[in-house]
Amino acid sequence: MQRNFRILIGIILVAVIAVYLDLPSNPGIPFVNREVKAYEGLDLQGGMQVMLEADMPNGQAVTSDQMDAAKDIIEERINGLGVSEPLIQRQGENRIIVELPGIKEPELAIKTFGQTGLLEFIDSATYIPEGTIIATSGYTPSSSQSGTDAKSTTTTANATTPTTGSATAAPTASGTATSAAAGTTTGAGSNTGTTTSTASPVYKTIMAGDKLKSAEVTFNQTTNQPEISFVLTDEGGKIFGSHTAANVGKYLAIVMDGKVISCPIIKTAIPDGKGVIEGKFTLAEAKSLVLQLKYGSLPVPLKVIENRTVGPTLGQDSVNKSLLAGIIGIAIVMIFMIVLYRIPGLLADIALLIYTVVVFALFKLIPVTLTVPGIAGFILSIGMAVDANILIFERTREELRAGKTLGAAIEAGFGRAWTSIRDSNISTIITCIILFWFGSNFGASIIKGFSLTLGIGVVISLFTAITVTRTFLRLLVSRSMAGKTHLFANIDQSS
Amino acid sequence: MDIINKRVWFYLLSLIIIIPGIVSLAIQPGLHLAVDFTGGSLWEIQFKQSVDVAQVRTIMTNHGYGDSIVQSSGTNSVIIRSKELQAGSETKTAIEQDLRAQFGEFTQPSFQSVGPTVGGEVAERAIWAVGMAALGILLYIWWAFRKVPKSFRYGTCAVIALLHDALLVLGVFSILGKLFNIEIDSLFVTALLTVIGFSVHDTIVVFDRIRENMGKEAGLPFETIVNHSILQTLGRSLNTSLTVILTLTALVLFGGVTIRIFALTLLIGIVSGTYSSIFNASALLVSWEVGELTAPFKKLFGSNSTTPKTVGN
């Protein structure tokens, strides 16, 4: 008896804490510096999920270090975008998953973090219009980027690791030797809408972006157009200075990932290692380019193999409807329980409410990202949470019919029903585990969310059905309800 | 009420319900697969005015996506399904420019693009997941019922009942796909796996009672024990399923459009699961025990197996 009271107090305490945590603007947990709030998945608050894969030319394998370096660079670029709570994870040997909740311009974001970001200064005798894709001695455009089949990418030698100094930095004999050796064409007829010459020569790379010390967006004094101002490292400054001094009158094409973004004429020598890239950028494009330059270019070219973008309004609508459906569903179940099982049904309903607040508080604590299927999983688990109670009550009814006293019938009901409850719920838990594996293997966080909400729901429902309802019933029975079996679902033992 | 004795009728009923689904699955395309499995792009565009889908299709063709399927959906919006179109790519930007020029401003409520390799992987993983779930459940039941004689049968019959449910759901969606173009995506696989997990719930309740009655009613024939068990647990089986069905019905009726198909899949699967638990799973145990399952084979081949003795005459 005493014990039951203590358990009851414990339950009430847990419920109160849960309600406190459930409230939307709760001040968090004292002593532990963590905010407690509901994390919304991409389908609820809108956003984008992208899966990138290493796009190695010629079937080369990518190393784990390269992927880690790529992931770090992507993370820094994304932080520069100012997205709150982005998710960047490696997956498998050669993939990276990026989730950007609430992103406003998803397409620009992909360009910012997904592109290699290799900047090159190219020597050119003639003017090359902006937007042209050219082949350089320091860079092979990846097959997806030039928009043609793999067959037609250029075959320049040693062009896969452009950030190492040998082929790109100095305009030495080795640089010219490679460009002479190659001399093949970029693919003709790409359907990307940019102009590609059918037999474009391989241009010589004077210097690459690794010689940049800093870059930032500035505005042209006269035209107010956004530009990119950069400062070179000492070594870069020397190369730049000597090249500009020797080539006044020629063009210096500035190329990003093989695409010309600016092609100014060299007017004078530039010894101080500072310069400005003027091009037809919008402010957003300029910022994107600076982000690509600031943290270095990706060691491995990446291509997008999966992308899902959801606008926010769709999500909000779904939440409201799902919540409404959930409330209606729970209400029907609660009425059902009272009609069928009377007083124990009412107790089970109270246990159900406790269950709901506790599980939701857990979702906020762990935290579990809520998605629309996740909410459905939660609602489903509420429907299943009563199952255990039904099994127990039916069993109790049988025991009462067999002539046991109320107290003994309840104990027998709980005891005998436990094996059925345990076995049937374990099969659901097995499927939740498999679902979690299924979802985590190709970045479907939506499926992961569902399996987590359902799984946690089932586990907690075992607790509330057994402990909470049993404590309620035991307390109730002890208060001399022994003779009033007719309150317990149609059994009249008192006659 | 004697369920076990009438089990042939219930087997027949199951077959009648499943066969149209199987036939539909056999007719190509068996299932309408979403881009999750086939690869490609699904693009929803919300315009501020009504648009002519033919014109949208023309724009897509101009950019090399002539095979796209353009459908109108809701007010002023279209859904374009095409081969893979990458977000942020030059092509998509160019298409957007043309759309904007012709139809004015628009928003993009959703856009998905799945590369071909990923699609194949998802399909493969889905099949693995279903297989592993069935195996996991079979092993668990085998272990849980290890103290009962021939415990392997319990697991197997539960799994057969569960595969019956999965097949039924697939069949229904094959038919729905042909009638209403409803597509199967990775969320469908999630629902299917949930149905599998839940289908055994009721089955285990009955098996549990059989296990208990085997001890209590030891002298009676197996069929009678099983029949008693089913009747005794009928109330609770129906009630437990009813609570879940009620919540799911609320979701189907009142939930948003994104969740409706998902909830419907679960609903169909769980109703089927309840039926198969009560009328099929235990009946299979009995059929196995009395040798009915192998009897048709014995009738077909039984005379052959005795022929060698008489052929020599």
Side-chain angles (χ1 to χ4, degrees), chain A residues 28 65 71 134 148 200 207 224 236 245 287 303 323 374 419 425 430 437 440-441 445 460 479 485 492:
Chain A
D65 285 342
K71 171 178 171 277
I134 61 173
T148 54
S200 56
M207 190 173 63
N224 231 13
K287 284 184 179 167
K303 69 176 174 196
L323 282 179
T419 41
N425 277 307
I430 290 179
W437 166 84
S440 55
N441 257 293
S445 58
I460 302 294
R479 295 187 170 288
T485 51
D492 197 359

Side-chain angles (χ1 to χ4, degrees), chain A residues 51 53 95 107 110-111 144 191-194 259 303-311 314 317-318 321-322 324-326 328-330 332-333 336-337 340-341 372-373 376-377 379-380 382-384 386-387 390-391 394-395 398 416 419-420 422-428 430-431 434-435 437-438 441-442 444 446-447 450 454, chain B residues 36 44 63 84 86-93 96 108-115 117-118 121-122 125-126 128-129 132-133 136-137 140 144-145 186-187 189-190 193-194 196-198 200-201 204-205 208-209 211-212 216 232 235-236 239-244 246-248 250-251 254-259 262 266 270:
Chain A
M51 182 140 67
E53 189 178 76
R95 292 183 181 172
E107 314 241 331
I110 292 188
K111 282 201 188 114
S144 51
N191 58 352
T192 53
T194 58
K259 188 158 101 178
K303 69 176 174 196
V304 173
I305 55 173
E306 191 185 346
N307 166 25
R308 288 165 204 269
T309 314
V310 174
L314 193 69
D317 186 52
S318 299
K321 293 223 177 89
S322 304
L324 177 67
I328 294 179
I330 297 175
I332 296 180
V333 170
F336 178 76
M337 286 299 278
L340 223 52
Y341 299 107
V372 173
I379 295 174
L380 186 64
I382 294 178
M384 287 163 70
V386 261
D387 278 8
I390 292 178
L391 287 176
E394 289 280 348
R395 193 73 215 221
E398 273 185 49
R416 294 270 170 77
T419 41
S420 300
R422 178 200 65 192
D423 292 345
S424 53
N425 277 307
I426 286 192
S427 65
T428 309
I430 290 179
T431 23
I434 292 179
L435 268 174
W437 166 84
F438 178 57
N441 257 293
F442 60 98
I446 287 185
I447 297 183
F450 174 77
L454 189 61
Chain B
D36 292 16
E44 188 177 345
H63 290 271
E84 192 186 358
Q86 291 202 3
S89 67
E90 312 272 337
T91 324
K92 184 159 188 277
T93 320
E96 287 175 22
Q108 302 180 48
S110 78
F111 175 75
Q112 296 175 37
S113 105
V114 178
T117 33
V118 178
E121 283 178 18
V122 175
R125 284 261 149 68
W128 262 107
M132 274 184 16
I137 291 173
Y140 177 71
F145 283 76
S186 41
L187 210 54
V189 177
T190 311
L193 286 168
T194 313
I196 287 179
F198 199 72
V200 258
H201 263 232
I204 288 183
V205 167
D208 201 60
R209 182 51 69 98
R211 170 170 56 179
E212 196 184 319
K216 276 197 211 158
Q232 286 163 10
R236 76 182 65 176
N239 285 342
T240 52
S241 299
L242 206 53
T243 50
V244 179
L246 284 172
T247 34
L248 281 176
L251 271 178
F254 304 108
V257 73
T258 40
I259 213 63
F262 182 58
L266 287 171
I270 288 179

Side-chain angles (χ1 to χ4, degrees), chain B residues 74-131:
Chain B
T75 37
N76 302 341
S77 53
V78 293
I79 296 187
I80 304 176
R81 185 177 168 158
S82 66
K83 61 181 196 247
E84 192 186 358
L85 176 65
Q86 291 202 3
S89 67
E90 312 272 337
T91 324
K92 184 159 188 277
T93 320
I95 294 178
E96 287 175 22
Q97 275 174 355
D98 284 356
L99 284 172
R100 201 167 288 126
Q102 193 158 2
F103 301 112
E105 278 304 319
F106 57 83
T107 58
Q108 302 180 48
S110 78
F111 175 75
Q112 296 175 37
S113 105
V114 178
T117 33
V118 178
E121 283 178 18
V122 175
E124 198 186 307
R125 284 261 149 68
I127 297 178
W128 262 107
V130 172

